[in-house]
Amino acid sequence: QVQLVESGGGLVQAGGSLRLSCSASGNRFSIAIMGWYRQAPGGQREMVATITNRGVINYTDSVKGRFTISRDSIKSSVYLQMNSLKPEDTAVYYCNAGGVGVILRVGGPYWGQGTQVTVSS
């Protein structure tokens, strides 16, 4: 089992920045990919960004050029630097982790509790 704990959400004005952090504990050596997903009110959960152990990164189109995902493999942590935030980025952001073969659209089996990000216009 893997446990994920997020931090760093909050309220920010449009154009501002936030940094999300997520730390993994438990069977960390089983993790091959970590990432961030989000769910807006009334919407479905969507992949925001993922990063593999080998550094392969994927972003959803709407955040490219604004968000940056990074990972500290030694600490089993993943970060999401969010710049130029827009009101449509408002959502609960979830940290995610999984082993080999994760379908990016779905995510791995391990989820954090979620952290709220609210962007005011």
Side-chain angles (χ1 to χ4, degrees), residues 30-48:
S30 68
I31 298 174
I33 185 170
M34 297 185 75
W36 294 92
Y37 291 68
R38 67 186 179 186
Q39 187 167 15
Q44 292 187 333
R45 189 175 296 185
E46 66 168 346
M47 186 273 286
V48 177

Side-chain angles (χ1 to χ4, degrees), residues 32-33 98-104:
I33 185 170
V100 175
V102 165
I103 299 173
L104 298 185

Side-chain angles (χ1 to χ4, degrees), residues 49-70:
T50 61
I51 183 168
T52 71
N53 285 354
R54 298 190 176 189
V56 177
I57 292 174
N58 282 277
Y59 294 103
T60 191
D61 286 345
S62 63
V63 307
K64 288 180 180 177
R66 301 188 298 121
F67 291 11
T68 302
I69 190 170
S70 59

Side-chain angles (χ1 to χ4, degrees), residues 2 4 10 35 40 55-56 58-59 93 96 104 109 116:
V2 173
L4 302 172
V56 177
N58 282 277
Y59 294 103
Y93 284 70
N96 178 260
L104 298 185
Q116 178 71 46

